[in-house]
Amino acid sequence: MGRSGRVVAAARRENRPALVGYLPVGYPDVPGSIDAVVALTEGSQGAGVDAVEIGMPYSDPMMDGLAIQHATTRALAGGVRTRDVFSAVEAVAKAGATPLVMIYWNLVEHYGSHGRSTDSLASVRHFARDLSNAGGAGLITPDLTPDDAALWTAASDEFGLDRVYLVAPSSREERIAQTTAACRGWVYATSVMGVTGARSHTSSAAPVLVEKVRRIAPELPVGVGLGVSNGDQAAEVGAFADLVIVGSALVKCLIDNESDLGTGLGRLRATVDDLAEGVRRAR
């Protein structure tokens, strides 16, 4: 089941999908981003997201849309460091939600190197240790496939961390079987072919992909992301997914109020309220 799988089980007892909110660490700055991830856990009524996907900014992302690119570029320019993600993880865990980290593999493999040549096994193990010590549940790794994940498999097993890999509408059944077998916690189904971003309509490919995954791995929860922006869409996706993942719509709350963090946090909480209400009426 994994640590994040228990989040899904708890939501199922309430006859609803779990709600996952994404924000990057370091935007608008590190302290402000920590305030923002905590706001996700609260909403304005004290009931926010079930899990927070904390994004680690990266200079060469493969699936970030314009809103997330804007935020992560600002975060990198502001000097965010990989270690900052653990402060955000600790804050989310202390607030009572489950923190996961979305990170590109190069940052894990070179953790602590500071430009020096280091042993990849030691770097990955130290990252896993620090993530576990901070209260993190595991990693979402968009550019790491099970074929190349021997180091992460060993480290995540040692520290009891979840492995969330991605499948796409283009994934063949053999690839889905291999990917889901390597997951612990849940599998991330990217509902569109492309980058992240809030959309006016949810993907018609998402239910088909979820059905295919469930046929191959019926016990593994399936999260759906890319495109959900409001409560109605959260309800629509939650009718067939085990986790509803929202990112760009939340980041945009901060971007639209970039010069006023207080207003941005208020908008963030209101958006979480709408999303949380949506998942409650999903089933």
Side-chain angles (χ1 to χ4, degrees):
M1 178 178 289
R3 300 186 192 185
S4 56
R6 290 193 284 272
V7 174
V8 179
R12 282 174 174 167
R13 289 193 290 272
E14 298 178 6
N15 195 36
R16 64 173 179 85
L19 178 61
V20 181
Y22 166 94
L23 284 175
V25 68
Y27 180 77
D29 51 33
V30 172
S33 68
I34 292 174
D35 289 342
V37 294
V38 172
L40 291 185
T41 72
E42 299 170 338
S44 63
Q45 308 296 326
V49 301
D50 301 292
V52 179
E53 179 186 344
I54 301 164
M56 183 61 222
Y58 187 52
S59 58
D60 190 25
M62 61 181 287
M63 62 180 287
D64 295 347
L66 292 178
I68 294 175
Q69 283 185 36
H70 173 90
T72 56
T73 298
R74 291 294 183 91
L76 290 168
V80 68
R81 295 293 180 263
T82 303
R83 289 186 181 276
D84 293 324
V85 81
F86 302 122
S87 298
V89 167
E90 288 177 348
V92 170
K94 185 176 180 180
T98 297
L100 294 130
V101 173
M102 196 289 281
I103 190 166
Y104 291 92
W105 185 244
N106 185 58
L107 297 176
V108 179
E109 198 169 29
H110 294 91
Y111 176 61
S113 67
H114 304 294
R116 302 186 303 271
S117 177
T118 58
D119 176 23
S120 294
L121 176 59
S123 294
V124 173
R125 185 181 180 278
H126 291 163
F127 187 98
R129 175 202 62 195
D130 290 353
L131 178 61
S132 180
N133 288 342
L139 295 185
I140 300 167
T141 49
D143 63 340
L144 182 68
T145 63
D147 320 62
D148 301 315
L151 295 180
W152 174 231
T153 299
S156 58
D157 282 347
E158 180 180 357
F159 292 97
L161 295 168
D162 292 354
R163 299 184 292 266
V164 180
Y165 296 112
L166 279 65
V167 294
S170 60
S171 299
R172 296 184 177 182
E173 291 194 359
E174 311 89 84
R175 171 57 67 177
I176 291 174
Q178 181 185 23
T179 301
T180 54
C183 288
R184 179 162 54 222
W186 49 286
V187 64
Y188 193 130
T190 59
S191 60
V192 296
M193 297 297 293
V195 298
T196 61
R199 292 170 169 82
S200 58
H201 302 285
T202 59
S203 168
S204 60
V208 177
L209 177 57
V210 171
E211 182 181 359
K212 184 188 297 186
V213 171
R214 288 214 176 104
R215 187 171 65 251
I216 295 168
E219 301 302 319
L220 186 67
V222 185
V224 170
L226 303 187
V228 177
S229 62
N230 56 52
D232 288 341
Q233 291 178 344
E236 182 182 347
V237 171
F240 59 85
D242 299 298
L243 305 94
V244 177
I245 308 160
V246 185
S248 295
L250 299 173
V251 176
K252 199 169 185 298
C253 293
L254 300 179
I255 292 174
D256 289 347
N257 299 279
E258 199 164 50
S259 62
D260 184 351
L261 180 60
T263 299
L265 294 178
R267 183 61 191 145
L268 197 63
R269 291 188 177 96
T271 301
V272 169
D273 289 346
D274 180 45
L275 294 164
E277 191 277 330
V279 297
R280 284 195 295 270
R281 56 185 166 85
R283 303 273 170 95

